[in-house]
């Protein structure tokens, strides 16, 4: 299942103390109803990051713009960082910020969509059919968001894990645009799109994450850390030992590797996946560094298409392994 993310600005995200009797009961009831609507949005497969102030909205969107497929705004009553009611026009600042950093679909979910003072501010949102009244069914908002997101990210169908890697923090959000290009290029089956350098960036990020959690133990200081990390993950083994625990040596006196006892166990990364990672390392090294001396391009377009398809298949298989391992690991750690 594809999981999308929205950043939602509404003062109802401020927690209401249960023992605060000074809060108007109508407000408490409205806030509770709003949070139930948010829960329905999350049940539909849309992750919600709720923030009650513009300052928090701006900080989060500036920090993680590639994490969000859309943003949702209230129109009135939003608090500022001091906990006091902010200007009615804070939504205009939020819209301008989104347009400057990364234009994504913007939605309004408010009880005040028909107020004249907001007419020009949200005109483009209203005309695009993305303004919804809180008095209506939240299902209308959900349906529109899912329709918009599915239309924009349809090329992830069949490769949902490549999208969810970012939602669950297993790849850095800075690489999301890179992944978009890779998956879209595959979807469009274009021979004129070269994914190799972009694949390398994603692989580098994956290897760094595995290094961060101790699966790989190669510092990034080395100029050749990419290849060293691939060797550690896919080839490096402990030395073979005899029944007494002594290291077995070959005729030249060199320690023999125990190929059945790799540094990264087959329980973490099976042998087939290790072969695919090595293959991707070779392909992205070759193409990213433009080594044309031994190029096979003269075999023609049909040959190049087969090589490209083989590389895509290997990439998606490795992303599937990486997502499954990291997702299962996060469940166990929780």
């Amino acid at each position: 299942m594809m999981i999308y993310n929205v950043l939602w600005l509404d003062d109802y995200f401020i927690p209401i103390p249960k023992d605060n009797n000074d809060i108007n009961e109508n407000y408490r009831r409205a806030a509770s109803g709003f949070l139930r609507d948010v829960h329905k949005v999350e049940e539909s497969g849309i992750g919600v990051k709720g923030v009650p102030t513009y300052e928090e909205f701006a900080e989060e969107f500036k920090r993680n713009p590639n994490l969000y497929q859309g943003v949702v705004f209230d129109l009135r009553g939003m608090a500022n960082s001091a906990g006091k009611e902010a200007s009615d026009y804070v939504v205009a600042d939020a819209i301008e910020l989104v347009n400057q950093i990364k234009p994504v679909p913007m939605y309004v979910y408010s009880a005040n969509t028909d107020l004249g003072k907001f007419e020009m501010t949200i005109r483009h949102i209203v005309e695009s059919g993305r303004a919804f009244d809180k008095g209506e069914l939240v299902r209308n908002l959900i349906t529109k968001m899912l329709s918009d997101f599915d239309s924009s990210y349809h090329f992830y169908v069949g490769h949902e894990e490549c999208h969810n890697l970012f939602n669950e923090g297993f790849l850095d959000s800075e690489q999301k645009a890179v992944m978009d290009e890779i998956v879209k290029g595959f979807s469009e089956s274009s021979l004129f799109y070269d994914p190799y350098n972009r694949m390398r960036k994603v692989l580098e990020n994956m290897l760094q994450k595995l290094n961060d959690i101790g699966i790989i133990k190669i510092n990034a200081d080395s100029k050749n850390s990419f290849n060293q990390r691939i060797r550690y993950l896919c080839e490096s083994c402990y030395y073979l030992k005899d029944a007494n625990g002594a290291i077995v040596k070959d005729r030249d006196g060199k320690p023999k590797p125990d190929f059945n006892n790799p540094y990264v166990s087959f329980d973490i990364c099976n042998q087939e996946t290790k072969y695919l990672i090595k293959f991707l390392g070779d392909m992205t090294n070759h193409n990213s560094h433009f080594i044309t001396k031994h190029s096979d391009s003269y075999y023609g377009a049909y040959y190049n298409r087969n090589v490209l398809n083989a590389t895509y298949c290997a990439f998606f298989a490795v992303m599937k392994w990486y997502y499954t391992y990291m997702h299962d690991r996060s469940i166990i750690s929780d």
Side-chain angles (χ1 to χ4, degrees):
M1 179 180 180
M2 186 84 81
I3 299 174
Y4 301 112
N5 287 318
V6 296
L7 182 59
W8 198 321
L9 174 58
D10 194 301
D11 69 317
Y12 281 149
F13 284 113
I14 297 177
I16 303 175
K18 293 182 179 180
D19 58 351
N20 191 337
N21 296 322
D22 293 332
I23 294 178
N24 182 286
E25 186 58 32
N26 290 333
Y27 179 89
R28 191 189 301 275
R29 189 161 42 246
S32 298
F34 169 76
L35 294 177
R36 285 195 296 271
D37 286 348
V38 171
H39 183 63
K40 291 178 182 178
V41 172
E42 292 175 321
E43 287 182 329
S44 75
I46 300 175
V48 174
K49 170 71 173 179
V51 292
T53 70
Y54 171 74
E55 291 89 345
E56 291 175 78
F57 177 89
E59 180 182 359
E60 173 61 21
F61 198 74
K62 288 176 182 178
R63 184 171 59 243
N64 295 310
N66 293 319
L67 185 59
Y68 298 103
Q69 284 70 57
V71 295
V72 187
F73 305 122
D74 188 18
L75 291 178
R76 294 191 66 188
M78 289 175 287
N80 58 29
S81 58
K84 298 180 180 180
E85 188 170 319
S87 165
D88 281 342
Y89 298 99
V90 66
V91 69
D93 294 332
I95 290 172
E96 183 179 1
L97 178 73
V98 171
N99 284 329
Q100 287 177 349
I101 296 177
K102 183 189 175 185
V104 296
M106 290 178 266
Y107 305 85
V108 166
Y109 192 60
S110 173
N112 306 104
T113 55
D114 58 347
L115 286 183
K117 68 172 70 177
F118 298 112
E119 182 178 358
M120 294 306 298
T121 303
I122 64 170
R123 180 177 177 180
H124 65 291
I125 298 177
V126 173
E127 291 178 348
S128 63
R130 297 187 176 119
F132 300 89
D133 195 291
K134 283 182 179 176
E136 300 174 357
L137 293 175
V138 72
R139 173 57 55 185
N140 297 330
L141 171 64
I142 294 172
T143 299
K144 179 59 176 173
M145 288 196 293
L146 287 176
S147 175
D148 289 344
F149 300 157
D150 285 344
S151 176
S152 297
Y153 296 95
H154 65 278
F155 43 83
Y156 274 101
V157 173
H159 305 291
E160 289 84 358
E161 64 278 355
C162 291
H163 182 89
N164 295 337
L165 279 165
F166 297 94
N167 291 334
E168 299 183 38
F170 303 146
L171 289 175
D172 292 333
S173 61
E174 291 81 2
Q175 299 299 325
K176 180 58 169 57
V178 176
M179 184 70 84
D180 287 349
E181 293 184 20
I182 294 171
V183 182
K184 188 175 182 180
F186 173 77
S187 176
E188 295 175 348
S189 300
S190 174
L191 265 180
F192 301 101
Y193 175 74
D194 182 351
Y196 297 103
N197 190 51
R198 293 172 179 83
M199 287 181 178
R200 182 185 176 92
K201 291 180 180 178
V202 172
L203 290 172
E204 287 174 341
N205 194 200
M206 180 191 81
L207 294 171
Q208 179 62 53
K209 293 290 187 181
L210 291 172
N211 200 88
D212 291 342
I213 63 175
I215 301 301
I216 298 174
K217 299 176 182 178
I218 300 292
N219 292 328
D221 299 334
S222 170
K223 293 181 179 179
N224 201 27
S225 61
F226 177 74
N227 293 323
Q228 289 179 359
R229 287 174 172 175
I230 286 182
R231 283 195 292 271
Y232 188 100
L233 177 60
C234 302
E235 298 178 339
S236 298
C237 302
Y238 294 100
Y239 291 131
L240 186 65
K241 295 181 179 180
D242 61 22
N244 297 318
I247 295 176
V248 178
K249 297 182 179 181
D250 60 19
R251 293 179 180 179
D252 297 326
K254 296 180 179 179
K256 284 187 175 182
D258 183 355
F259 296 110
N260 291 318
N261 188 19
Y263 283 178
V264 179
S265 73
F266 295 126
D267 290 336
I268 293 176
C269 184
N270 61 33
Q271 186 65 71
E272 293 81 2
T273 301
K274 293 186 178 192
Y275 288 144
L276 294 177
I277 294 172
K278 287 167 60 180
F279 168 72
L280 288 173
D282 289 339
M283 291 302 297
T284 57
N285 269 330
H286 178 91
N287 288 280
S288 294
H289 296 148
F290 303 101
I291 304 173
T292 58
K293 181 179 180 180
H294 303 293
S295 174
D296 292 317
S297 60
Y298 60 85
Y299 282 124
Y302 178 74
Y303 176 85
N304 286 337
R305 181 180 293 278
N306 286 339
V307 172
L308 184 61
N309 285 339
T311 308
Y312 270 124
C313 289
F315 178 80
F316 291 133
V318 169
M319 292 299 104
K320 180 68 173 180
W321 160 77
Y322 177 58
Y323 174 77
T324 301
Y325 171 72
M326 295 293 280
H327 180 74
D328 291 348
R329 179 179 178 274
S330 66
I331 293 176
I332 294 173
S333 63
D334 289 342

